């Protein structure tokens, strides 16, 4: 935001719209979606919604990663052509996006034409610049991770070989392959990380990446010849492009790459934030910027590698058979409840255990007893005693002022929390505002003023409504459904459902007519 001094003493705030491009990983549609997918997606959606409410121009992308040996094998097991299998499974992920209430602007499939065009162009650029050459790959490969591993990253257990990094089984591969000259980029990447201190967050992940790069980068095999399900290497049909080079490109295919002179691309590239899980950090923080730099394109602005959702002490995954189904949780408890719980309870940098007990505790204490109760008690009091109308006078009391001041102190840091991706702090702060507002109502006891000080009672209710409006806008990224119901009941127009109040805008007019509000969150027993 720019502050400009114009004629006279008037200060005008000119809201500068920033462009904000955010992505989730493109998901392998090789199995049913699980909580890990839901988590990456909801996290990205929360940042997308916050930025829209902050008057930024947002583009939010999600999608499916449909090529590679893993998908080919899964389709074969089901007796289906990969393309038929992907059509079916990609729809499951698209439906999940709706169920999770994602506000994505686009859903990309790596089997789409626009994506082929982008991957072909990127390959040709890398080939022409001499960054890709033909040779032979000899080494370990994990189909489940679609990743190559060095010998020192492999251990043997009961006669079988596994990756020490992910625990997935690996197989020995020897085949003709194109290579990307990753080794050339080692120092340039280290310089880039050094210059861009926030490129990888959290910091612990950044250190991991830097140490890995410092230990030496080998050229990367970027094509395979032993299967066919993928994008063919231009002018060499025998090879399909390595699924990670293919998949990472989705982030620019969605911006109509190679049309880099178009406004669309120029507005949104480089991406503001790639949300990914820590298991796929190497691909995003090392390979992806190296591919882009080699092709003369800008690397991403920021990558956030979140921790894993654990079930017991293990990562939740299909191969481990410990999947908590997000759809079941949504059907039992509700989507806002799931979204809020995952965002509040799972610390975003580290791994987090989830259970139905902690979900119940979280929903009951923050949503049902705190925010939900605040809304319900204020709305029903106004319905029963004021015919749904409230007015405000100039007679502001000390405690009215104290609540507003305390709220302003808390809200001052919220943009910074979001910018630093500190969602835990953000949510805690907003819930504190709700707690303070409940306390204010308890202390002020408006019900005692019904017969002797209607003016003061109205002021208390008016301030409570203003607080509820602010809290609802601030919680909107986490609980879009419930917060929208409240803002509707407050008759706040769509145009005002943004963060202008953080800069002093008033949300509730001096005289306000509100509507009835039904229960927002049921207590879970
Ligand atoms: N297709 C690749 C991503 C390509 S992006 C260019 C992929 N897909 S995935 O479906 O396996 O995983 C997608 C995301 O889900 C990753 O960010 C991964 O970290 C996340 N999760 C998968 N299981 C998870 C948990 N148990 N917990 C949290 N997130 C984890 O990788």
């Amino acid at each position: 935001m720019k502050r400009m001094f114009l004629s006279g003493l008037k200060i005008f705030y000119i809201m500068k719209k920033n462009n904000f491009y955010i992505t989730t990983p493109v998901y392998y549609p090789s199995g049913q979606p699980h909580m890990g997918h839901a988590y990456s997606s909801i996290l990205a959606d929360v940042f997308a919604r916050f930025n829209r409410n902050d008057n930024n121009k947002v583009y939010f992308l999600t999608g499916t990663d449909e090529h590679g040996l893993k998908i080919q094998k899964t389709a074969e097991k089901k007796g289906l052509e990969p393309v038929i299998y992907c059509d079916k499974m990609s729809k499951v992920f698209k439906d999940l996006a709706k169920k999770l209430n994602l506000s994505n602007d686009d859903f990309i499939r790596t089997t789409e034409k626009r994506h082929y065009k982008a991957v072909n162009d990127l390959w040709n650029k890398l080939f022409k610049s001499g960054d890709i050459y033909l040779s032979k790959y000899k080494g370990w490969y994990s189909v489940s991770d679609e990743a190559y591993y060095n010998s020192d990253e492999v251990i043997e257990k009961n006669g079988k070989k596994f990756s020490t990094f992910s625990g997935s089984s690996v197989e020995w591969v020897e085949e003709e392959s194109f290579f990307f000259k990753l080794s050339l980029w080692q120092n340039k990447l280290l310089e880039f990380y050094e210059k861009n201190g926030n490129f990888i967050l959290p910091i612990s992940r950044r250190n991991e990446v830097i140490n890995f790069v410092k230990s030496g980068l080998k050229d990367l095999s970027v094509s395979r010849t032993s299967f066919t399900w993928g994008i063919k290497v231009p002018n060499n049909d025998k090879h399909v492009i390595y699924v990670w080079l293919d998949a990472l490109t989705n982030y620019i295919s969605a911006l109509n790459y190679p049309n880099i002179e178009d406004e669309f691309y120029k507005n949104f590239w480089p991406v503001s934030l790639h949300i990914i899980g820590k298991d796929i950090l190497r691909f995003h923080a090392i390979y992806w910027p190296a591919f882009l730099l080699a092709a003369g394109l800008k690397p991403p602005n920021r990558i956030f590698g979140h921790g894993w959702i654990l079930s017991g002490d293990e990562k939740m995954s299909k191969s481990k058979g410990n999947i908590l189904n997000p759809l079941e949780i949504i059907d039992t408890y509700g989507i806002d409840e799931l979204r809020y719980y995952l965002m509040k309870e799972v610390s975003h940098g580290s791994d987090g255990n989830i259970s139905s007990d902690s979900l119940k505790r979280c929903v009951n204490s923050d949503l049902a007893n705190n925010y939900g109760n605040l809304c319900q008690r204020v709305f029903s009091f106004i319905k029963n005693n004021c015919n749904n109308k409230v007015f405000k006078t100039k007679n502001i009391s000390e405690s009215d002022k104290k609540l507003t001041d305390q709220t302003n102190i808390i809200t001052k840091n919220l943009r910074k929390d979001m910018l630093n991706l500190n969602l835990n702090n953000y949510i805690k702060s907003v819930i504190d505002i709700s707690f303070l507002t409940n306390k204010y109502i308890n202390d002020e006891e408006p019900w005692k003023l019904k017969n002797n000080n209607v003016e003061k009672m109205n002021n208390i209710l008016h301030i409570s409504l203003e607080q509820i409006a602010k809290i609802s806008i601030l919680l909107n990224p986490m609980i879009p459904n419930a917060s929208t119901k409240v803002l509707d009941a407050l008759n706040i127009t769509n145009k005002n459902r943004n963060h202008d109040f953080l800069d002093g805008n008033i949300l509730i007019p001096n005289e306000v007519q509100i509507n009835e509000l039904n229960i927002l969150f049921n207590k879970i027993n």
Side-chain angles (χ1 to χ4, degrees), residues 96 99-100 325-336 338:
L96 177 77
K99 267 268 188 170
L100 295 175
N325 185 341
L327 298 179
E328 279 170 20
I329 302 230
I330 296 169
D331 290 341
T332 316
Y333 302 109
I335 179 59
D336 276 4
L338 173 70

Side-chain angles (χ1 to χ4, degrees), residues 24-30 34-41 64-66 70 93 110 144-146 243-244 246-251 275-280 283-284 306-311 314-318 322 351-352:
T24 72
V26 275
Y27 302 113
Y28 291 128
S30 51
H34 58 71
M35 207 53 93
H37 302 121
Y39 183 67
S40 289
S41 286
T64 40
D65 181 359
E66 305 185 8
K70 175 165 155 149
F93 279 80
T110 56
S144 160
D145 304 343
E146 295 284 18
V243 64
W244 272 99
D246 166 345
L248 287 161
T249 308
N250 91 87
Y251 301 130
I275 296 283
I276 55 161
K278 63 178 183 179
D279 47 331
I280 55 174
F283 306 97
H284 284 81
H306 65 70
W308 283 338
I309 309 262
L310 304 175
S311 165
E314 286 194 316
K315 180 191 174 204
M316 217 181 287
S317 76
K318 194 162 55 75
N322 58 359
D351 296 347

